[in-house]
Amino acid sequence: MTGASSASSTTGTSGSTGTSSSVGSGGSGTTGTGGSTSASGSGGDPGDGGGGAGGSPPTCDLPTTFKWKAGPPVISPKPPAGRSWASVKDPTIVFFDNKYHVFATVFDTTSGNGGWQSMYSNFTDIPQANAADQHYMASWPTGSTVAPQVFFFQPHNKWYLIYQWNGRYSTNDDINNMNGWSRPQGLLRGEPNGALDFWNICDDKDCHLFFSRDDGKLYRSKVSIDKFPNFDGYETVMSAPSASLLFEASNVYKVDGSNKYLLMVEAYDNSPRFFRSWTSESLDGPWAPLADTKQNPFAGPANVTYEGQDWSDDISHGELIRSGHDEKMTIDPCDLRFLYQGRDPKVGGDYGKLPYRLGMLTLQK
């Protein structure tokens, strides 16, 4: 659910190494196969906007260095009556049906010491985000969906919401139907202890589930599209000499107009949080460093300029605005925007009560 740091020598540019892809180490309670999901849904294919092509082929290359502009927070905690939230964080965002849909983690302090819960919001444009209602999800069939990812899976004609703890998923025929989400089902058989921040992306044949364990390694499970979401076992994608260099919050995208995939992982290096990045021509790797150091990050204090108040040092757990909404997880390199979590660095105390807000980075051309 949040951050780590750099050093090109730690990028693990060889492909998948480590534990066997057919077995996991030490299951952690989620032992189910994930369950089967109907291959047809009553909601119909979302259709317009497509799920991957993103319209006309872009004319931009993915940069090798990045400079971002940031404004004030775009989403702050806005709990419903009778509730109190200290933070909003770990967002997933998708644009569909002429509006943005955001699912995010909140820390609910309504009673006692508080605990991790989740919220859903939708709005037609980013400037409207802070005014939009934030719907408390604890009473939904899903329950709390901490550190979520949302996407439309075309082969099943359904929306999927992936979240923790343990790795779980829910489905919905219509993302606009807040009561339409199914009860949680297990996502990864043989899930190791401490697994978090699950991220799914599919190519033409397989789906790849990336996740972290706060141990300086990035992990992946892989299953054929026809068996999704029945993930089983995992392997190590890359390793770093310290947990801070490969921490949490991995994002993986297909870059429109190219054969490239972009991988991002949050890091810290005796410093505020930032994102390292790599590219590959295959989700199987190998992954080559792109902007992967504290001095030259994908996004971090070194390359983010604030318009107005510098309200955060952290560039932490977030998601790029996608060009589509399906399992291919496509991005347009001509329009890179990153919804991230940040906080006032002068405020300390319990991690859960740190005042995280959501901000938007916009890449400077």
Side-chain angles (χ1 to χ4, degrees):
M1 284 166 54
T2 152
S5 156
S6 59
S8 298
S9 62
T10 69
T11 57
T13 56
S14 62
S16 299
T17 59
T19 55
S20 166
S21 62
S22 62
V23 295
S25 63
S28 68
T30 299
T31 56
T33 60
S36 170
T37 305
S38 169
S40 63
S42 60
D45 192 317
D48 49 16
S56 300
T59 58
C60 305
D61 293 326
L62 188 68
T64 56
T65 59
F66 299 82
K67 292 184 178 180
W68 304 90
K69 286 281 189 182
V74 297
I75 299 179
S76 298
K78 187 182 176 184
R83 308 221 69 87
S84 177
W85 297 342
S87 62
V88 57
K89 56 201 307 289
D90 310 331
T92 183
I93 183 169
V94 65
F95 188 76
F96 171 71
D97 198 20
N98 296 314
K99 57 180 175 267
Y100 292 96
H101 303 262
V102 171
F103 297 81
T105 306
V106 298
F107 193 77
D108 189 344
T109 57
T110 304
S111 61
N113 292 323
W116 300 110
Q117 300 289 340
S118 55
M119 75 86 170
Y120 163 74
S121 184
N122 66 70
F123 41 88
T124 57
D125 204 357
I126 300 299
Q128 300 175 347
N130 221 19
D133 289 339
Q134 296 178 12
H135 301 274
Y136 186 51
M137 294 176 61
S139 62
W140 290 19
T142 59
S144 297
T145 61
V146 174
Q149 181 200 16
V150 68
F151 57 91
F152 183 77
F153 188 66
Q154 294 190 88
H156 292 174
N157 200 30
K158 287 183 181 290
W159 289 92
Y160 272 74
L161 190 62
I162 287 175
Y163 48 96
Q164 62 193 52
W165 296 277
N166 300 301
R168 297 177 291 167
Y169 73 89
S170 295
T171 63
N172 197 340
D173 294 331
D174 180 4
I175 195 172
N176 293 297
N177 181 6
M178 290 184 283
N179 295 315
W181 292 99
S182 68
R183 291 186 174 276
Q185 297 190 60
L187 181 64
L188 174 59
R189 184 174 181 176
E191 177 184 325
N193 292 325
L196 46 74
D197 293 353
F198 295 91
W199 180 275
N200 179 75
I201 179 173
C202 306
D203 55 28
D204 291 334
K205 298 191 302 180
D206 301 301
C207 294
H208 306 249
L209 184 69
F210 292 82
F211 63 94
S212 301
R213 296 176 66 197
D214 290 350
D215 61 355
K217 295 180 180 180
L218 179 66
Y219 299 92
R220 182 191 66 156
S221 186
K222 178 179 175 180
V223 70
S224 60
I225 282 184
D226 62 314
K227 293 183 179 179
F228 175 86
N230 299 306
F231 290 99
D232 189 352
Y234 62 94
E235 61 188 359
T236 301
V237 177
M238 62 176 72
S239 301
S242 73
S244 67
L245 297 176
L246 280 174
F247 190 49
E248 298 177 354
S250 60
N251 286 198
V252 191
Y253 302 96
K254 177 67 169 60
V255 181
D256 283 336
S258 77
N259 59 354
K260 287 184 179 179
Y261 290 92
L262 170 68
L263 164 65
M264 303 152 49
V265 180
E266 187 179 353
Y268 63 93
D269 184 11
N270 297 315
S271 67
R273 299 179 178 198
F274 62 95
F275 275 86
R276 305 174 65 194
S277 61
W278 300 259
T279 59
S280 177
E281 294 185 1
S282 168
L283 289 168
D284 293 315
W287 294 97
L290 177 62
D292 75 320
T293 68
K294 181 168 63 175
Q295 296 75 24
N296 178 32
F298 179 81
N303 63 356
V304 171
T305 301
Y306 282 85
E307 298 173 330
Q309 182 182 5
D310 187 349
W311 62 273
S312 177
D313 285 346
D314 282 347
I315 305 298
S316 186
H317 194 139
E319 183 175 346
L320 289 170
I321 305 296
R322 293 175 240 158
S323 59
H325 53 255
D326 74 1
E327 73 279 359
K328 298 296 181 67
M329 305 303 293
T330 56
I331 55 170
D332 180 356
C334 298
D335 180 23
L336 290 182
R337 291 172 291 155
F338 186 47
L339 182 67
Y340 70 101
Q341 66 178 36
R343 67 179 180 92
D344 185 343
K346 299 187 292 295
V347 178
D350 294 341
Y351 178 74
K353 296 179 181 179
L354 294 176
Y356 275 101
R357 307 290 185 262
L358 303 184
M360 182 70 76
L361 301 182
T362 300
L363 187 69
Q364 299 303 286
K365 303 292 174 63

